[in-house]
Amino acid sequence: MLASTQFQGQPCIDIALPHGDKVRIALHGAHLLSWTTADGAERLYLSSQAHIDGVSPIRGGVPICFPQFNQRMLGDTPLPKHGFARTQAWEVVTSQESEGRVSAQLALRSNPATLAIWPYEFAAALTVELLPESLQITFDVQNTGDKAWPFALALHTYLQVDDIAQTELNGLGGLTYWDGVQHLSQPEVKSTQPAYGLRFTGETDSVYEGVQAALKVNHPGGRLEISQSPSLKDVVVWNPGAEKCATLDDMPTDGFRHMLCVEAARINEPVLLLPGKSWSGWQRLQFRSA
Ligand code: TA6
């Protein structure tokens, strides 16, 4: 079922399954704001102080970072941090329903506002598919112009956790990563993740390369499995920790305790999209009860 609604005055859509799983998406940024499973539990973190004004990036949910990640410029065109997709008005194109699943698709095309800061033509679509205890987010993009262009992408998913101190992320063991807290200005400095699960005791901001297996977030009450398309080769793991969180005007001071970003991304090897060509990448979240 799809229904148009509003959240804090902003237009949204809800899609829901008959037995209760539900997703809310804001048209601003095609931004997933909420995913609740049939037991009523919220699985995404949305800051209680997020700026929901149809202009600012939204803190929490699933921001779409495109065509740039963070402030890593591609080519010579400076763009806003994390690109512009998360602050553009997307439109709803379709919704589909079949037994046990429901999906909605939103679209964004190059327009005068994007062309003013990034001189390339594109057609992007975000498809959100909801199944019992499972969610898939797929980003498709086509080069509709006559020039090739490079892009990066992150599905910047904020997971809700009861307590970050009790949370463990498994599945990254053996992977190479860049630690953005230790080596902010040296992206070439890489480390190897030990085999044991990753725990969180302070600010964490790392980009892992070559992710293949599903990741698992364990916390009291259940386990979330996260997988992604082979086209998304990187995973970003971010938690601001107490100190950085206190500097974010759109987070409560204890917000860092209840979130963990596990982002399916394409950062280290940007895609060069040729005229007429398309590209697709997805992240899948599957909740497993304890
Ligand atoms: O994905 C991690 C990251 O790039 C961090 O460096 C941190 O800045 C975070 O994204 C949030 O960025 P934002 O612009 O939403 O405050």
Side-chain angles (χ1 to χ4, degrees):
M1 190 192 69
L2 178 138
S4 295
T5 184
Q6 291 209 335
F7 179 70
Q8 297 186 11
Q10 293 302 313
C12 296
I13 54 168
D14 285 350
I15 56 172
L17 290 172
H19 49 272
D21 299 75
K22 185 170 150 189
V23 158
R24 174 163 292 171
I25 310 164
L27 273 48
H28 177 68
H31 197 119
L32 252 106
L33 298 175
S34 163
W35 168 35
T36 46
T37 40
D39 55 5
E42 177 60 61
R43 303 293 167 198
L44 298 179
Y45 172 83
L46 178 64
S47 168
S48 56
Q49 293 179 15
H51 300 144
I52 314 272
D53 55 12
V55 179
S56 314
I58 297 172
R59 174 76 59 204
V62 185
I64 301 169
C65 307
F66 170 86
Q68 172 181 297
F69 177 74
N70 203 307
Q71 271 151 343
R72 296 195 191 194
M73 254 173 79
L74 299 172
D76 48 13
T77 318
L79 285 174
K81 186 179 175 192
H82 287 320
F84 51 71
R86 65 178 178 164
T87 51
Q88 283 281 305
W90 291 56
E91 53 184 46
V92 181
V93 266
T94 53
S95 93
Q96 283 189 348
E97 212 167 335
S98 60
E99 209 180 320
R101 63 178 63 201
V102 58
S103 68
Q105 190 174 76
L106 293 91
L108 176 70
R109 298 185 78 91
S110 42
N111 58 59
T114 66
L115 290 168
I117 55 173
W118 196 63
Y120 302 114
E121 289 174 46
F122 69 93
L126 190 83
T127 308
V128 177
E129 187 176 23
L130 183 64
L131 288 88
E133 304 206 321
S134 168
L135 176 69
Q136 180 162 318
I137 307 159
T138 305
F139 179 88
D140 291 292
V141 65
Q142 187 187 8
N143 182 341
T144 52
D146 54 13
K147 286 180 276 188
W149 37 263
F151 73 92
L153 174 77
L155 301 171
H156 197 307
T157 306
Y158 285 70
L159 303 172
Q160 164 108 3
V161 298
D162 296 341
D163 179 0
I164 192 70
Q166 305 294 322
T167 301
E168 188 171 277
L169 176 61
N170 289 281
L172 295 166
L175 295 181
T176 299
Y177 70 100
W178 170 69
D179 182 333
V181 177
Q182 298 291 329
H183 305 294
L184 181 58
S185 54
Q186 299 162 288
E188 71 289 353
V189 177
K190 301 283 167 76
S191 312
T192 302
Q193 179 66 34
Y196 49 80
L198 186 58
R199 302 294 295 242
F200 303 92
T201 50
E203 184 183 357
T204 304
D205 193 354
S206 301
V207 180
Y208 290 82
E209 309 176 356
V211 178
Q212 285 174 350
L215 307 180
K216 294 178 185 67
V217 176
N218 293 314
H219 55 100
R223 188 174 88 195
L224 193 73
E225 288 186 8
I226 304 161
S227 51
Q228 60 197 54
S229 58
S231 57
L232 291 171
K233 299 167 184 244
D234 307 315
V235 164
V236 185
V237 181
W238 183 60
N239 180 287
E243 246 174 76
K244 181 154 189 196
C245 186
T247 69
L248 300 173
D249 70 349
D250 55 358
M251 284 278 269
T253 46
D254 70 341
F256 74 97
R257 286 191 199 285
H258 303 298
M259 55 145 290
L260 176 63
C261 286
V262 181
E263 310 166 31
R266 178 77 179 240
I267 298 167
N268 289 328
E269 283 173 39
V271 180
L272 182 70
L273 201 62
L274 301 177
K277 295 291 180 195
S278 298
W279 182 93
S280 185
W282 52 259
Q283 184 187 49
R284 190 178 299 141
L285 308 175
Q286 169 96 51
F287 181 74
R288 306 219 182 256
S289 316

